[in-house]
Amino acid sequence: MGLFQKLFGKATDDLYAPMAGKAVAITQVPDPTFAEGMLGNGIAIEPTEGKVYAPCDATVDMMFPTGHAVSLVADCGAEILIHVGLETVSLEGKPFTIHAANGDKVKKGQLLIEVDLKAVEAAGLKTITPMVVCNTDNYPTFQTKVDRDVTNADVVIQLAK
């Protein structure tokens, strides 16, 4: 039994970092759509590597054709949006390689997207990557683990209903 379950009597659903880098609070994203929680609560990664992995077992709800974002429905019911960089849709998919398709069942740690971070930066865009739970209201307990270096082996969000 984990500490959270001992303290609160409920099991949590864990979401892992989708990228290697530094996990930061969603409020640090320089875009009000994310920073003000318009799409839901979450975290962001300042990436050190251009690989985006599934943060949990899930189904790909929508892989954007440009590869700049993916929406997942976690097996636990969380609706997750991972948006690689800011304003990166404008790159029309050039620095992205897609490794999953709509409807695919994916396992935690499965490669979803690769991105050339240097190409994003060369275009004058930010690489910070928000991961939000769009149905945050379904989770009265929502804990983030930020201000640290992470990989896909690290939990960054814990949810409980």
Side-chain angles (χ1 to χ4, degrees), residues 4 47 63-64 69 93 107 130 148:
F4 189 88
M63 176 62 74
F64 288 70
K107 293 287 186 191
R148 63 194 179 111

Side-chain angles (χ1 to χ4, degrees), residues 99-123:
H99 294 278
N102 295 345
D104 284 358
K105 292 273 192 195
V106 295
K107 293 287 186 191
K108 182 242 170 232
Q110 186 172 332
L111 183 63
L112 302 175
I113 301 167
E114 286 183 274
V115 57
D116 180 344
L117 296 174
K118 290 187 186 337
V120 172
E121 291 169 345

Side-chain angles (χ1 to χ4, degrees), residues 136-157:
T136 301
D137 292 344
N138 291 353
Y139 299 93
T141 302
F142 191 101
Q143 293 185 328
T144 60
K145 299 174 182 253
V146 295
D147 298 323
R148 63 194 179 111
D149 291 334
V150 295
T151 68
N152 188 246
D154 297 300
V155 173
V156 291
I157 297 175

Side-chain angles (χ1 to χ4, degrees), residues 49-69:
E49 179 181 286
K51 293 183 179 181
V52 179
Y53 300 99
C56 58
D57 292 351
T59 301
V60 176
D61 183 49
M62 181 176 185
M63 176 62 74
F64 288 70
T66 55
H68 78 284

Side-chain angles (χ1 to χ4, degrees), residues 18-104:
M19 298 180 84
K22 183 175 183 185
V24 298
I26 197 72
T27 55
Q28 292 185 23
V29 177
D31 180 320
T33 302
F34 295 106
E36 295 174 13
M38 292 179 201
L39 298 175
N41 197 359
I43 57 97
I45 303 291
E46 295 172 345
T48 55
E49 179 181 286
K51 293 183 179 181
V52 179
Y53 300 99
C56 58
D57 292 351
T59 301
V60 176
D61 183 49
M62 181 176 185
M63 176 62 74
F64 288 70
T66 55
H68 78 284
V70 62
S71 133
L72 306 167
V73 177
D75 287 358
C76 70
E79 298 169 2
I80 303 163
L81 173 67
I82 302 169
H83 195 285
V84 185
L86 300 178
E87 306 298 332
T88 49
V89 67
S90 65
L91 299 174
E92 301 174 340
K94 289 179 183 78
F96 298 94
T97 303
I98 297 170
H99 294 278
N102 295 345
D104 284 358

